Amino acid sequence: QVQLVESGGGFVQAGGSLRLSCAVSGRTFGSYLMGWFRQAPGKEREFVAAISWNGGRTSYADSVKGRFTISRDKAENTVYLQMSSLKPEDTAVYYCGARRGVAVIITTGYEYWGQGTQVTVSS
């Protein structure tokens, strides 16, 4: 079982930056995929970015490419989402998710979730 705790959300003006953190713990997660998802009011949860814990391969939604960067620090058991050039449309609750690893990074089947952290981007 994997436990995830997000932090780093807050209020920021359009064009600003935030870094979200996801502290990871559990019996085993070395072969897992770690992902960031977000859910805006009235909308379904959507995929943002993912990274393989062992290999560090990444994948991004088209809407955030060039602005967001996902990374992980194995020594600190933490996954990060660096968000830059933020837009009001990025406003959402951001969730950290985890799933057992597969050969190709996919956006479904994430069975472990954190409680979420609110990101609000204002104009």
Side-chain angles (χ1 to χ4, degrees):
Q1 188 172 341
V2 176
Q3 295 82 45
L4 308 170
V5 180
E6 304 97 331
S7 62
F11 299 89
V12 63
Q13 293 183 341
S17 300
L18 282 175
R19 187 178 71 167
L20 306 183
S21 299
C22 175
V24 187
S25 62
R27 296 175 62 185
T28 177
F29 54 86
S31 63
Y32 275 54
L33 301 181
M34 311 300 299
W36 285 99
F37 298 74
R38 66 188 182 187
Q39 187 167 17
K43 296 185 178 181
E44 297 182 352
R45 187 172 300 186
E46 65 175 349
F47 168 78
V48 175
I51 187 168
S52 59
W53 184 263
N54 283 339
R57 299 186 304 277
T58 60
S59 182
Y60 297 91
D62 288 341
S63 60
V64 305
K65 286 182 178 178
R67 299 189 299 121
F68 291 10
T69 301
I70 188 171
S71 62
R72 87 283 193 238
D73 187 330
K74 291 183 177 181
E76 297 294 331
N77 287 349
T78 302
V79 181
Y80 300 99
L81 184 68
Q82 177 65 51
M83 306 184 294
S84 301
S85 301
L86 283 163
K87 307 173 181 179
E89 65 192 59
D90 294 318
T91 295
V93 177
Y94 283 71
Y95 297 90
C96 183
R99 62 153 293 149
R100 285 170 286 183
V102 293
V104 181
I105 295 178
I106 59 176
T107 62
T108 59
Y110 288 76
E111 59 260 62
Y112 303 106
W113 298 94
Q115 55 268 63
T117 185
Q118 176 70 48
V119 173
T120 302
V121 184
S122 62
S123 300

